[in-house]
Amino acid sequence: MKRTILSAFAALLMLAGCTETPAPRQVTLLPETDFQTAIDREETNIYTISDPKGLTLQVTNFGARIVALWAPDRDGNMTDVVLGYPTIAEYQTGDGYAGPIVGRYGNRIDEGKFTLDGKEYQVTINDGINHLHGGVGGWSTKVWVVSNQTENSITLGYYSPDGEEGYPGNVSVIVTYLIQGNDLFIEYTAVTDAPTVLNPTSHCYFNLHGDTEKSTNSHLLKINAPFYTPTDDGLIPTGEVASLDGTPLDFRTATAIGERIDADFEAITFGKGYDHNFVLDKAMPTNDWGMTEAAVLYEPENGIEMTIWTDRPALQFYSGNFFDGTSVGKNGKAFGYRTGIALETQDYPDAPNHDNFPSTVLRPGEEYKHNTIYSFSVK
């Protein structure tokens, strides 16, 4: 009898131990049926790529956008670290910049005007008096063509006709997403048949908690940038390239995003938080692909760390200052105030209007190339 009681007690202890140490949470994929429709007579879908020992990515060809990105935390739990919606219909009516490739020109162009080879162009106005992220009918609103898919990669293309949103030249762009282990590679290439300007970027909103009920203010951020481009109150660059020394925008030492986000500093006041173009230190060491370390984002609560490598000269950091809870995303969770941040590898905003900024002009016979890696680890 005594042995029976002890055996039962031991079994209860084993069950209690199992309760205290649950199996790591696995990936829950969004179903294809919720993304299968037609937009402008073009069929949409959702596509999944993964590395069995690393990341899982879901992409829709509507805007070539990242819908879900699953990375492991320090306990092995797979965590979806990007904001998004559970259906294609909600992407059509919700925040249009949740996860897509934006273009032709990511970021802003002053009053939507620029002069190229002596001719002035007027592109769409969609941000006050300015042009933002390619305009109302930019690449984020288009259905891209999937040209190739493997277990761990997908390639999407889009043909942007001459005059689209006011831009000159017929442009063909190709974007490839590739997963190797816990690294997500994004490769962009593009060509044109007439001189144009080009600055595409991926516009994901990241939250390393995997839960928009938790603010990204707790994330520690390091940006390897000694300079930034100050703006006016419409977030249009003045043309100055200013030092970050002694400013609340200096993230060369890892700092909690929320620590200085409401500082009494003109650039922060204009952006209502962080919404700034950081000029990267290209003297930083490079990886095996010749890309420099742009930024490192870390969440102490679950140990997820994301390192961004790029061959672009700049990085836009936006801290979710305009999220107000009206958009409801995956798992019924709202996009709350400062619960998602964008870290966009890019050329400078409004570069076509500033001769001292690196050129964003693409000409016939040239090939635009842009490579970025989002590399995940835990600590």
Side-chain angles (χ1 to χ4, degrees), residues 131-363:
H131 176 86
L132 176 67
H133 292 332
V136 293
W139 291 356
S140 60
T141 71
K142 305 301 183 182
V143 178
W144 294 48
V145 175
V146 176
S147 59
N148 187 56
Q149 183 183 5
T150 68
E151 181 181 6
N152 69 328
S153 71
I154 185 168
T155 298
L156 306 99
Y158 176 66
Y159 176 80
S160 176
D162 177 50
E164 184 175 64
E165 297 298 297
Y167 286 100
N170 297 295
V171 170
S172 295
V173 58
I174 295 173
V175 172
T176 296
Y177 296 102
L178 168 69
I179 291 175
Q180 292 184 343
N182 284 314
D183 295 337
L184 169 61
F185 294 73
I186 306 179
E187 178 189 70
Y188 312 67
T189 61
V191 294
T192 182
D193 65 358
T196 192
V197 295
L198 195 65
N199 184 30
T201 188
S202 173
H203 200 285
C204 285
Y205 295 125
F206 293 98
N207 182 319
L208 299 187
H209 291 292
D211 183 353
T212 55
E213 291 182 348
K214 296 181 179 181
S215 173
T216 49
N217 281 349
S218 63
H219 293 357
L220 301 181
L221 178 62
K222 177 184 177 184
I223 302 177
N224 293 318
F227 303 101
Y228 77 111
T229 50
T231 70
D232 61 19
D233 59 2
L235 302 182
I236 295 296
T238 63
E240 180 186 6
V241 178
S243 171
L244 288 168
D245 291 347
T247 74
L249 275 66
D250 190 349
F251 280 92
R252 282 173 286 184
T253 298
T255 305
I257 290 172
E259 184 173 319
R260 303 176 306 218
I261 198 167
D262 294 314
D264 185 12
F265 186 70
E266 183 177 70
I268 288 180
T269 301
F270 287 164
K272 297 179 173 55
Y274 295 110
D275 194 0
H276 304 90
N277 176 57
F278 290 77
V279 177
L280 298 175
D281 184 356
K282 302 308 283 186
M284 291 292 295
T286 59
N287 61 13
D288 292 342
W289 296 272
M291 291 177 256
T292 52
E293 184 184 275
V296 181
L297 187 68
Y298 173 65
E299 174 45 51
E301 182 180 70
N302 61 14
I304 296 178
E305 183 172 80
M306 180 180 75
T307 302
I308 302 174
W309 301 83
T310 190
D311 56 14
R312 292 295 90 192
L315 180 82
Q316 184 81 11
F317 167 38
Y318 168 65
S319 54
N321 312 313
F322 295 97
F323 293 159
D324 60 6
T326 56
S327 290
V328 178
K330 292 170 288 187
N331 301 314
K333 300 292 183 70
F335 295 5
Y337 183 54
R338 292 176 177 166
T339 60
I341 68 169
L343 294 164
E344 306 152 58
T345 58
Q346 61 172 16
D347 285 270
Y348 297 9
D350 200 35
N353 292 311
H354 301 280
D355 292 338
N356 61 316
F357 287 0
S359 175
T360 55
V361 175
L362 181 68
R363 297 184 180 278

Side-chain angles (χ1 to χ4, degrees), residues 13 29 48 60 91 94 168 180 191 227 233 254 259 342 374:
L13 285 176
L29 296 177
T48 302
T60 175
Y91 276 105
Q180 292 184 343
V191 294
F227 303 101
D233 59 2
E259 184 173 319
Y374 294 92

